[in-house]
Structure formats: structure tokens, C-alpha cells
Amino acid sequence: MTEKLHDPDILADAADWRARDLAVLWHPCTQMREHQGALPLLPVARGEGAWLVGPDGRRTLDAVSSWWTNLFGHAEPRIAGAIARQAHTLEQVILAGCSHLPAVELAERLLALAPRQRDRDPLAKVFYADNGSAGVEVALKMAFQWFRNRGDEPRRTKFVALENGYHGETIGALSVGDIPLYRRVYAPLLMEALFAPSPDAYLAREGQDAAGHAEDAADALARLFDEHPGEICALVLEPLVQCAGGMRMYDPVYLRRARELCDVHGAFLIADEIAVGFGRTGTLFACEQAPADARLGGSAGVQPDLLCLSKGLTGGFLPLAAVLSTQAIYDGFLDDSRERAFLHSHSYTGNPLACAAALATLGIFDSDDVLARNRATAARMAELSAPLAAHPHVADVRQRGMIVAFEMAQNGDRRTPFAAARRTGLRAYLHALERGVLLRPLGDVLYWMPPYCVGEDELALLADVTATAIGAATA
Ligand SMILES: *Cc1c(COP(=O)(O)O)cnc(C)c1O
């Protein structure tokens, strides 16, 4: 391998790589103009643990887990092996009318692991889609059609989502998202959703704690439900962390309140755990962290009616989404009429390779005590990030499990962000890339969301580079 990397042909290729790329590729979520200027493209020839390796052998730490997908490192051999074995057995088959074991086994395993509330019927059925956005579309359409099929509440057609939330880029998913940069231009195409104030602790009033702010946001959600009696079919939210919205975090008490409000008002709760699922926030699913209701003496955790999973589901190897639903929702589509069926499909629904990757990923959770290791890693991340809270241009350092975020602001307070034109986040990105760390910020928020296999030396490098990147970007 090393020998091959120093092959002069490959080095020549690397020099040529960017030009070839820019001649033919249109990159996601990118102003392509920037790649003609200051923003370099990072050529990646292979991955190794938490590292990306360029054609010239140059190593870059993948501090954002390749858009939050990777869990156990790049080219993880157990997952790679499972995909290879599956590829030699059954690569794909139509899932309408046919069945294959990887899809069945994965559904069984996901349902067994899903968040559960003792006083509710458990999540009982799995519908597959190809990516996170498609999974959100599935959940929205299921919630809407369930009421349509029942026919007795014709006005129940609206969705409630949270301000600053993100659920994907397709038109339906974008409609329940509230990030102006992604949404504004398409606004005329979007369906109308209702937005409730975010429980985001960063927005707490002076002197108010995260739980107090979450309670206030829940009160506002209650008023929104009251203003639209019998009109709301579902509430969709990202449990605990609004990731694309700048890794904004909120108190788990909000999940408890949201669950109760949905029940009181007869609406479904859709939990979008596409980014936070699979151990990212400290528990296997973020919904598990909702506190018990002291008055009802219940147990901790909330169970959604629809749970959307993707990203880490395959360990970061292949696109796949799973939407878990209750038996009651599933039963609402059983009928003599085909029109009452859920006629949604994707060509690759339940792709066997992706299911095999997901099964191997869940196998690693079984064999490696991932959550315990993550707890230790998260504690180390807390120690290493703490000193940055004192930086004069850092307004907030926040953490939930394996996610740490640094909010850069002009005066180090919550009221004076840097002017957008200053491109503070981009400056930090360029600095970090120069030093061998891929820290792709969200606006002026830098964050750590490393693969779970990240080690002590890598975390130390990450902390060091983050400190100098913040220094360089805010100077
Ligand atoms: C990434 C993400 C999505 C969309 O998933 P894609 O696979 O990128 O379409 C939806 N919801 C949340 C919370 C996400 O972070």
C-alpha cells in the first residue's frame, strides 16, 4: 500500500485531481465559485480509522465523521466484510412482493433496540428508504395519510416543527426545516408548516437555565396546539440536538413535554434521530434521555410514534434509512382498497448491501461495549474543550455525548455574532485543514463529532488545532 502511494503516476494524478474534479463535478451544499478561489478541495484516496488519506499520503483527521455518518472509523473491516459477503450473495432485489433475510433481520433488531415506554405499545414495523430526507418524507406522508384513511378528521393536515430544525433537503423535508440558508429560495414551493419556538438552551434568557428555557418553549408549543385544535397531524423534531442548526442543544425535559402534548392533542410524534441516533448523544437513541414524569411516576425515555433513522445506521458505509412505526399506524393502512395502502417506494428500498452493513454495525454495538467507550471518550472531550470556554471570542461551549460545539462570537457573548461577510467559520476551516483536521463548521459554529474510534492522540490534536483555528479565525 505504502509503496503504491509513492508511485509517481499516482502523485501526478493527485496534482491533476482537482482540475479533473472541477471540470465535471457539482458538489453538494457548496458555492462552486469558492473552489475556484480560496477554498481547496481535499482529495481523498482512502480512509483509515478516523483519518482520511490523500493520494500523496497526507492525512486529515475526519472530525465531522464524514457528515455525521461514520461511527467506527473508515473502512471498518467487519462492516466492509459483511458488505462484500452480501454482494456475492444477493446485491439487490425488488422489495415489493419479495423478501430477503437482511431486511427482515435488520427490522427485527431495530425494533428490539428502539426506544420504549412501558405505558405504550412498542414500535412494531419498519419501512425502509434510501436516505435521511426520504425517511422524513415517509414519516410525514404516513402521519398525514393515517388521518386521511380514517376520514373522521379532515382538517388534520398540518405539521408542527421546531424553529432552527433541520430534516433534509427534499421538498417535504425542507418544508418542516427552518434554516433560512437552505429554505428561503424554495419557500414558494414548500408546504406550509407551523413552527414552534426552539427549546435551544443557547436562547435562554439571562439567568435562566436550560430546563427553564425548555419548559418555556414547551409552553409555547402547547399554545400552538391550542390555536390549531384538530388540525395538527404530527410534531416532528430532532431529539436533544439541532445538528444542522448549529449543534444547538436542549434540555431533555422538552421531549417529555412534547410527548405529552402530542398525546393530549391526538397528534403523532415523529422523532428524527437521523443524526443523533446510534450512540451519538450518549444513549443508543436520544429519546431515551427524556426524564421520567415525576407526577405520573413513569420511567425515563419517550417513545415516538414514528422514528426516523439513517446516517450512522450503516456505520457510514451506505445510504439507508429506516422509519419505525407503531402497530396502530400500520393498521391504519390495512384495507381492501389499494389507495389506502402506503404506496410509497424507492427502487432500492431495503437494499440488501445496505441492510448487511447496518446489521454489521449493530453487531459492533453488541460486541464492543460502544456506549461505555463513548462515555469515556466524551469525558475526555469535555476536559479538552473546557479551556476554550474562556476564549474571548467563544460565546458557548456545549456538549451532548460525542458532540461538542464551539460558538464563535464577536464579543464572546450571545448577542453579537460576527458579521457573516467576515467568514469566520470558513477561516477556521481553512486553518484547521492546513493543520490536518477536517473541521467543517456550521456558520460560525465549530464542532467535534468524531468517529467513535477516535483515540487520545487524535483528540489532543483536535483540541490543539481547534484552539489555534479559533484564534486565527477571530483575530
Ligand atoms: C442529515 C439529516 C437529514 C437528512 O438526511 P440525508 O441522508 O442527508 O438526506 C434529516 N434529518 C436530520 C436531523 C439530519 O441531520
Side-chain angles (χ1 to χ4, degrees):
M1 199 75 203
T2 326
E3 213 178 338
K4 194 132 189 282
L5 279 171
H6 294 102
D7 182 331
D9 288 346
I10 287 189
L11 288 174
D13 279 356
D16 194 29
W17 191 323
R18 288 188 183 88
R20 281 177 61 195
D21 178 300
L22 294 175
V24 294
L25 283 195
W26 195 340
H27 287 261
C29 201
T30 299
Q31 172 49 266
M32 291 304 297
R33 187 79 172 270
E34 291 175 3
H35 279 310
Q36 296 166 7
L39 188 64
L41 262 176
L42 181 68
V44 178
R46 60 196 176 87
E48 205 180 271
W51 295 88
L52 305 169
V53 187
D56 51 0
R58 191 183 149 86
R59 293 158 68 81
T60 304
L61 185 64
D62 186 358
V64 298
S65 294
S66 285
W67 252 343
W68 325 338
T69 60
N70 192 286
L71 298 188
F72 305 119
H74 290 278
E76 206 289 333
R78 288 168 286 185
I79 304 173
I83 295 170
R85 280 191 300 281
Q86 186 61 44
H88 287 288
T89 312
L90 176 69
E91 79 303 332
Q92 165 64 6
V93 64
I94 176 173
L95 199 64
C98 295
S99 175
H100 61 82
L101 219 44
V104 175
E105 273 181 22
L106 179 58
E108 289 170 349
R109 298 232 41 210
L110 289 174
L111 293 170
L113 293 169
R116 184 163 300 188
Q117 238 175 289
R118 251 186 290 145
D119 53 340
R120 309 184 83 89
D121 290 334
L123 292 167
K125 291 287 187 285
V126 176
F127 193 98
Y128 292 115
D130 294 356
N131 57 63
S133 304
V136 169
E137 300 283 344
V138 164
L140 297 176
K141 286 174 71 177
M142 277 180 176
F144 173 87
Q145 193 183 343
W146 189 86
F147 286 107
R148 197 37 66 117
N149 282 353
R150 242 183 32 167
D152 56 348
E153 289 190 285
R155 290 169 58 244
R156 223 180 251 280
T157 58
K158 293 196 164 79
F159 293 99
V160 176
L162 301 189
E163 289 175 359
N164 194 47
Y166 178 83
H167 300 286
E169 299 295 341
T170 51
I171 297 295
L174 200 56
S175 298
V176 291
D178 179 44
I179 297 182
L181 182 62
Y182 304 146
R183 175 190 170 92
R184 206 182 285 136
V185 59
Y186 304 106
L189 298 179
L190 303 181
M191 65 175 178
E192 236 174 87
L194 301 167
F195 288 95
S198 174
D200 171 9
Y202 192 75
L203 304 177
R205 280 182 280 109
E206 194 84 40
Q208 190 184 38
D209 66 5
H213 179 70
E215 292 280 5
D216 282 357
D219 292 342
L221 176 64
R223 289 192 293 275
L224 191 63
F225 269 110
D226 286 339
E227 286 160 15
H228 298 274
E231 296 177 13
I232 294 166
C233 60
L235 164 67
V236 56
L237 52 73
E238 297 160 273
L240 298 186
V241 188
Q242 295 189 307
C243 292
M247 299 295 163
R248 294 295 184 85
M249 301 176 184
Y250 62 87
D251 191 278
V253 74
Y254 187 83
L255 296 175
R256 166 70 48 208
R257 293 281 312 275
R259 177 67 274 179
E260 287 168 2
L261 286 166
C262 285
D263 287 341
V264 167
H265 292 275
F268 293 127
L269 175 62
I270 303 174
D272 177 352
E273 294 227 13
I274 288 167
V276 295
F278 300 104
R280 192 49 82 172
T281 67
T283 43
L284 189 61
F285 297 108
C287 281
E288 296 168 34
Q289 292 181 44
D293 187 323
R295 287 163 301 162
L296 302 176
S299 53
V302 293
Q303 182 186 310
D305 302 291
L306 291 160
L307 173 65
C308 301
L309 303 173
S310 188
K311 290 204 167 101
L313 172 60
T314 61
F317 273 69
L318 287 167
L320 177 68
V323 180
L324 279 58
S325 89
T326 60
Q327 185 70 36
I329 291 178
Y330 174 85
D331 287 346
F333 292 75
L334 298 179
D335 197 88
D336 292 334
S337 152
R338 287 202 81 199
E339 258 180 51
R340 297 217 171 157
F342 190 58
L343 295 183
H344 187 103
S345 66
H346 298 285
S347 310
Y348 283 94
T349 299
N351 174 255
L353 300 176
C355 291
L359 282 167
T361 299
L362 296 181
I364 294 175
F365 276 96
D366 287 342
S367 61
D368 286 13
D369 207 358
V370 175
L371 296 180
R373 185 185 197 278
N374 282 5
R375 271 194 294 280
T377 308
R380 192 69 191 117
M381 286 163 69
E383 287 169 1
L384 288 166
S385 59
L388 279 165
H391 192 283
H393 296 298
V394 173
D396 192 31
V397 177
R398 49 184 176 263
Q399 178 175 18
R400 177 74 65 184
M402 293 289 290
I403 308 174
V404 176
F406 308 87
E407 187 104 21
M408 294 186 287
Q410 198 172 320
N411 298 341
D413 63 36
R414 296 176 180 211
R415 286 174 303 275
T416 39
F418 283 110
R422 202 177 166 280
R423 306 300 303 268
T424 307
L426 179 66
R427 291 178 194 213
Y429 173 81
L430 293 172
H431 175 94
L433 202 57
E434 193 64 33
R435 291 200 56 197
V437 176
L438 184 66
L439 260 184
R440 190 186 159 92
L442 296 155
D444 291 345
V445 177
L446 287 174
Y447 64 91
W448 300 347
M449 200 156 165
Y452 301 164
C453 62
V454 70
E456 172 63 27
D457 291 351
E458 292 153 351
L459 287 175
L461 172 71
L462 185 52
D464 183 38
V465 169
T466 303
T468 59
I470 290 174
T474 60

